[in-house]
Amino acid sequence: MLPTDNRLRRREDFATAVRRGRRAGRPLLVVHLRSGSTDPHVPGESAPPPRAGFVVSKAVGGAVVRNTVKRRLRHLMRDRVTLLPPGSLVVVRALPGAADADSARLARDLDAALRRLLGGGAR
């Protein structure tokens, strides 16, 4: 389970990440990343933890399938949230193919998208 401090909950935060962040698309998911905007060198201002949220629409499947995909993505993101810069917002949007994918394929796509967004490699 993703820790409470690392969960994206407010609609405005989702909108900020999607509209103002960078995007990386993969066959099973799309990842939006908005890097942190606080300056850790300013006195009295601490960097908030990175937060992640998930969007799994009805196009992915019924309620049981959507919740399964969400649980898998939350579990995968729990191990990767430490790689994100402090204060960043991440939205992971599952595509319809995610319903039939196993956790290993979801992990590969998530890793590739994060690597691209964090500057670790080309397309």
Side-chain angles (χ1 to χ4, degrees), residues 20-55:
R20 296 190 179 142
R22 295 174 46 217
R23 178 182 66 193
R26 305 296 305 157
L28 301 178
L29 46 88
V30 177
V31 178
H32 300 268
L33 173 68
R34 169 82 172 154
S35 293
S37 59
T38 59
D39 186 2
H41 302 293
V42 174
E45 190 172 346
S46 63
R51 294 178 292 154
F54 306 93
V55 177

CSV table of all heavy atoms in Angstrom, one decimal, residues 20-55:
chain,number,residue,atom,x,y,z
A,20,ARG,N,0.0,20.6,-16.4
A,20,ARG,CA,1.3,21.4,-16.4
A,20,ARG,C,2.5,20.5,-16.3
A,20,ARG,O,3.6,21.0,-16.4
A,20,ARG,CB,1.3,22.3,-15.2
A,20,ARG,CG,0.3,23.4,-15.3
A,20,ARG,CD,0.5,24.4,-14.3
A,20,ARG,NE,-0.5,25.5,-14.4
A,20,ARG,CZ,-1.1,26.1,-13.4
A,20,ARG,NH1,-0.8,25.8,-12.2
A,20,ARG,NH2,-2.0,27.0,-13.6
A,21,GLY,N,2.3,19.2,-16.2
A,21,GLY,CA,3.4,18.3,-16.1
A,21,GLY,C,3.9,17.7,-17.4
A,21,GLY,O,3.2,18.0,-18.5
A,22,ARG,N,4.9,16.9,-17.4
A,22,ARG,CA,5.4,16.3,-18.6
A,22,ARG,C,4.7,14.9,-18.7
A,22,ARG,O,4.3,14.4,-17.7
A,22,ARG,CB,6.9,16.1,-18.5
A,22,ARG,CG,7.6,17.5,-18.6
A,22,ARG,CD,9.1,17.4,-18.4
A,22,ARG,NE,9.7,16.3,-19.2
A,22,ARG,CZ,10.7,15.6,-18.8
A,22,ARG,NH1,11.2,15.7,-17.6
A,22,ARG,NH2,11.2,14.6,-19.6
A,23,ARG,N,4.6,14.4,-19.9
A,23,ARG,CA,3.9,13.1,-20.1
A,23,ARG,C,4.8,12.1,-20.8
A,23,ARG,O,5.5,12.4,-21.7
A,23,ARG,CB,2.6,13.4,-20.9
A,23,ARG,CG,1.8,12.2,-21.2
A,23,ARG,CD,0.6,12.6,-22.1
A,23,ARG,NE,1.1,13.0,-23.4
A,23,ARG,CZ,0.4,13.7,-24.3
A,23,ARG,NH1,-0.9,13.9,-24.0
A,23,ARG,NH2,0.9,14.0,-25.4
A,24,ALA,N,4.6,10.8,-20.4
A,24,ALA,CA,5.3,9.7,-21.1
A,24,ALA,C,4.2,8.6,-21.3
A,24,ALA,O,3.7,8.1,-20.3
A,24,ALA,CB,6.5,9.2,-20.3
A,25,GLY,N,4.0,8.2,-22.6
A,25,GLY,CA,3.0,7.2,-22.9
A,25,GLY,C,3.7,5.9,-23.2
A,25,GLY,O,4.8,5.8,-23.7
A,26,ARG,N,3.1,4.8,-22.7
A,26,ARG,CA,3.5,3.5,-22.9
A,26,ARG,C,2.3,2.7,-23.4
A,26,ARG,O,1.1,3.2,-23.3
A,26,ARG,CB,4.1,2.8,-21.7
A,26,ARG,CG,5.2,3.6,-21.0
A,26,ARG,CD,6.5,3.7,-21.9
A,26,ARG,NE,7.0,2.4,-22.3
A,26,ARG,CZ,7.7,2.3,-23.4
A,26,ARG,NH1,8.1,3.3,-24.1
A,26,ARG,NH2,8.1,1.1,-23.7
A,27,PRO,N,2.4,1.5,-23.9
A,27,PRO,CA,1.3,0.7,-24.4
A,27,PRO,C,0.2,0.4,-23.3
A,27,PRO,O,-1.0,0.4,-23.6
A,27,PRO,CB,1.9,-0.6,-24.8
A,27,PRO,CG,3.3,-0.3,-25.2
A,27,PRO,CD,3.7,0.8,-24.2
A,28,LEU,N,0.6,0.3,-22.0
A,28,LEU,CA,-0.4,0.0,-21.0
A,28,LEU,C,-0.8,1.2,-20.1
A,28,LEU,O,-1.9,1.1,-19.4
A,28,LEU,CB,0.1,-1.1,-20.1
A,28,LEU,CG,0.5,-2.4,-20.7
A,28,LEU,CD1,1.1,-3.4,-19.7
A,28,LEU,CD2,-0.7,-3.0,-21.4
A,29,LEU,N,0.0,2.3,-20.1
A,29,LEU,CA,-0.3,3.4,-19.3
A,29,LEU,C,0.3,4.7,-19.7
A,29,LEU,O,1.2,4.6,-20.6
A,29,LEU,CB,0.1,3.1,-17.8
A,29,LEU,CG,1.5,2.5,-17.5
A,29,LEU,CD1,2.5,3.5,-17.4
A,29,LEU,CD2,1.4,1.6,-16.3
A,30,VAL,N,-0.2,5.8,-19.2
A,30,VAL,CA,0.4,7.1,-19.4
A,30,VAL,C,0.7,7.7,-18.1
A,30,VAL,O,-0.1,7.6,-17.2
A,30,VAL,CB,-0.6,8.0,-20.2
A,30,VAL,CG1,0.0,9.4,-20.4
A,30,VAL,CG2,-1.0,7.4,-21.5
A,31,VAL,N,2.0,8.2,-18.0
A,31,VAL,CA,2.4,8.8,-16.7
A,31,VAL,C,2.6,10.3,-16.9
A,31,VAL,O,3.3,10.7,-17.8
A,31,VAL,CB,3.7,8.1,-16.2
A,31,VAL,CG1,4.2,8.8,-14.9
A,31,VAL,CG2,3.5,6.6,-16.0
A,32,HIS,N,2.0,11.1,-16.0
A,32,HIS,CA,2.2,12.5,-16.0
A,32,HIS,C,3.0,12.9,-14.8
A,32,HIS,O,2.7,12.4,-13.7
A,32,HIS,CB,0.8,13.2,-15.9
A,32,HIS,CG,-0.1,12.9,-17.0
A,32,HIS,ND1,-0.1,13.7,-18.2
A,32,HIS,CD2,-1.0,12.0,-17.2
A,32,HIS,CE1,-1.0,13.2,-19.0
A,32,HIS,NE2,-1.6,12.1,-18.4
A,33,LEU,N,4.0,13.7,-14.9
A,33,LEU,CA,4.9,14.1,-13.8
A,33,LEU,C,5.0,15.6,-13.8
A,33,LEU,O,5.4,16.3,-14.8
A,33,LEU,CB,6.3,13.5,-14.0
A,33,LEU,CG,7.4,14.0,-13.0
A,33,LEU,CD1,7.0,13.5,-11.6
A,33,LEU,CD2,8.7,13.5,-13.4
A,34,ARG,N,4.7,16.2,-12.7
A,34,ARG,CA,4.9,17.6,-12.4
A,34,ARG,C,6.0,17.7,-11.3
A,34,ARG,O,5.8,17.3,-10.2
A,34,ARG,CB,3.6,18.3,-11.9
A,34,ARG,CG,3.8,19.7,-11.4
A,34,ARG,CD,3.8,20.7,-12.5
A,34,ARG,NE,3.8,22.0,-11.9
A,34,ARG,CZ,4.3,23.1,-12.5
A,34,ARG,NH1,4.8,23.0,-13.7
A,34,ARG,NH2,4.2,24.2,-11.9
A,35,SER,N,7.2,18.2,-11.7
A,35,SER,CA,8.3,18.3,-10.7
A,35,SER,C,7.9,19.2,-9.6
A,35,SER,O,7.2,20.2,-9.7
A,35,SER,CB,9.6,18.7,-11.4
A,35,SER,OG,9.9,17.7,-12.3
A,36,GLY,N,8.6,19.0,-8.4
A,36,GLY,CA,8.4,19.9,-7.2
A,36,GLY,C,8.8,21.3,-7.5
A,36,GLY,O,9.7,21.6,-8.2
A,37,SER,N,8.0,22.3,-6.9
A,37,SER,CA,8.3,23.7,-7.2
A,37,SER,C,8.8,24.4,-6.0
A,37,SER,O,9.1,25.6,-6.1
A,37,SER,CB,7.0,24.3,-7.7
A,37,SER,OG,6.0,24.2,-6.7
A,38,THR,N,9.0,23.8,-4.9
A,38,THR,CA,9.5,24.5,-3.7
A,38,THR,C,11.0,24.4,-3.7
A,38,THR,O,11.6,23.5,-4.2
A,38,THR,CB,9.0,23.8,-2.4
A,38,THR,OG1,9.4,22.4,-2.4
A,38,THR,CG2,7.5,23.9,-2.3
A,39,ASP,N,11.6,25.5,-3.2
A,39,ASP,CA,13.0,25.6,-3.1
A,39,ASP,C,13.5,25.1,-1.7
A,39,ASP,O,13.2,25.8,-0.7
A,39,ASP,CB,13.5,27.0,-3.3
A,39,ASP,CG,15.0,27.2,-3.4
A,39,ASP,OD1,15.7,26.1,-3.3
A,39,ASP,OD2,15.5,28.3,-3.6
A,40,PRO,N,14.2,24.0,-1.6
A,40,PRO,CA,14.6,23.5,-0.3
A,40,PRO,C,15.6,24.4,0.4
A,40,PRO,O,15.9,24.2,1.6
A,40,PRO,CB,15.2,22.1,-0.6
A,40,PRO,CG,15.6,22.2,-2.0
A,40,PRO,CD,14.6,23.1,-2.7
A,41,HIS,N,16.2,25.3,-0.3
A,41,HIS,CA,17.2,26.2,0.3
A,41,HIS,C,16.6,27.5,1.0
A,41,HIS,O,17.3,28.2,1.6
A,41,HIS,CB,18.3,26.6,-0.7
A,41,HIS,CG,18.9,25.4,-1.4
A,41,HIS,ND1,19.8,24.6,-0.6
A,41,HIS,CD2,18.8,24.9,-2.6
A,41,HIS,CE1,20.2,23.6,-1.4
A,41,HIS,NE2,19.6,23.8,-2.6
A,42,VAL,N,15.3,27.7,0.8
A,42,VAL,CA,14.7,28.8,1.4
A,42,VAL,C,14.4,28.5,2.9
A,42,VAL,O,13.8,27.4,3.1
A,42,VAL,CB,13.3,29.2,0.7
A,42,VAL,CG1,12.6,30.2,1.4
A,42,VAL,CG2,13.7,29.6,-0.8
A,43,PRO,N,14.8,29.3,3.8
A,43,PRO,CA,14.6,29.0,5.2
A,43,PRO,C,13.1,28.9,5.5
A,43,PRO,O,12.2,29.6,5.1
A,43,PRO,CB,15.1,30.2,6.0
A,43,PRO,CG,16.0,30.9,5.0
A,43,PRO,CD,15.5,30.6,3.6
A,44,GLY,N,12.8,27.9,6.4
A,44,GLY,CA,11.4,27.7,6.8
A,44,GLY,C,10.5,26.9,5.8
A,44,GLY,O,9.4,26.7,6.0
A,45,GLU,N,11.1,26.6,4.6
A,45,GLU,CA,10.3,25.9,3.6
A,45,GLU,C,10.9,24.5,3.4
A,45,GLU,O,12.0,24.3,3.0
A,45,GLU,CB,10.3,26.6,2.3
A,45,GLU,CG,9.4,26.1,1.3
A,45,GLU,CD,9.3,27.0,0.1
A,45,GLU,OE1,9.8,28.2,0.1
A,45,GLU,OE2,8.8,26.6,-0.9
A,46,SER,N,10.1,23.5,3.8
A,46,SER,CA,10.6,22.1,3.6
A,46,SER,C,10.0,21.5,2.4
A,46,SER,O,8.8,21.8,2.1
A,46,SER,CB,10.3,21.3,4.9
A,46,SER,OG,8.9,21.2,5.0
A,47,ALA,N,10.7,20.6,1.8
A,47,ALA,CA,10.2,20.0,0.6
A,47,ALA,C,9.1,18.9,0.9
A,47,ALA,O,9.4,18.0,1.7
A,47,ALA,CB,11.3,19.4,-0.2
A,48,PRO,N,7.9,19.0,0.4
A,48,PRO,CA,6.9,18.0,0.7
A,48,PRO,C,7.3,16.7,0.0
A,48,PRO,O,8.1,16.7,-1.0
A,48,PRO,CB,5.6,18.6,0.1
A,48,PRO,CG,6.1,19.5,-1.0
A,48,PRO,CD,7.4,20.1,-0.5
A,49,PRO,N,6.8,15.6,0.4
A,49,PRO,CA,7.1,14.3,-0.2
A,49,PRO,C,6.5,14.2,-1.6
A,49,PRO,O,5.5,14.9,-1.8
A,49,PRO,CB,6.5,13.3,0.8
A,49,PRO,CG,5.4,14.0,1.5
A,49,PRO,CD,5.8,15.4,1.6
A,50,PRO,N,7.0,13.4,-2.4
A,50,PRO,CA,6.4,13.2,-3.7
A,50,PRO,C,5.0,12.5,-3.5
A,50,PRO,O,4.9,11.6,-2.6
A,50,PRO,CB,7.4,12.3,-4.5
A,50,PRO,CG,8.2,11.7,-3.5
A,50,PRO,CD,8.2,12.6,-2.3
A,51,ARG,N,4.1,12.8,-4.4
A,51,ARG,CA,2.7,12.2,-4.2
A,51,ARG,C,2.3,11.6,-5.6
A,51,ARG,O,2.6,12.1,-6.6
A,51,ARG,CB,1.7,13.2,-3.8
A,51,ARG,CG,2.0,13.7,-2.4
A,51,ARG,CD,1.1,14.7,-1.9
A,51,ARG,NE,1.3,15.9,-2.6
A,51,ARG,CZ,0.3,16.8,-2.8
A,51,ARG,NH1,-0.9,16.7,-2.3
A,51,ARG,NH2,0.6,17.9,-3.5
A,52,ALA,N,1.6,10.5,-5.5
A,52,ALA,CA,1.1,9.8,-6.7
A,52,ALA,C,-0.4,9.5,-6.6
A,52,ALA,O,-0.9,9.2,-5.6
A,52,ALA,CB,1.9,8.5,-6.9
A,53,GLY,N,-1.0,9.6,-7.8
A,53,GLY,CA,-2.4,9.3,-7.9
A,53,GLY,C,-2.7,8.4,-9.2
A,53,GLY,O,-1.8,8.4,-10.1
A,54,PHE,N,-3.8,7.8,-9.2
A,54,PHE,CA,-4.1,6.8,-10.3
A,54,PHE,C,-5.5,7.1,-10.9
A,54,PHE,O,-6.4,7.4,-10.2
A,54,PHE,CB,-4.0,5.4,-9.7
A,54,PHE,CG,-2.7,5.1,-9.1
A,54,PHE,CD1,-2.6,5.3,-7.7
A,54,PHE,CD2,-1.6,4.8,-9.8
A,54,PHE,CE1,-1.4,5.1,-7.0
A,54,PHE,CE2,-0.4,4.5,-9.1
A,54,PHE,CZ,-0.3,4.7,-7.8
A,55,VAL,N,-5.5,7.0,-12.2
A,55,VAL,CA,-6.8,7.2,-12.9
A,55,VAL,C,-7.0,5.9,-13.7
A,55,VAL,O,-6.2,5.5,-14.6
A,55,VAL,CB,-6.7,8.4,-13.9
A,55,VAL,CG1,-8.0,8.5,-14.7
A,55,VAL,CG2,-6.4,9.6,-13.1
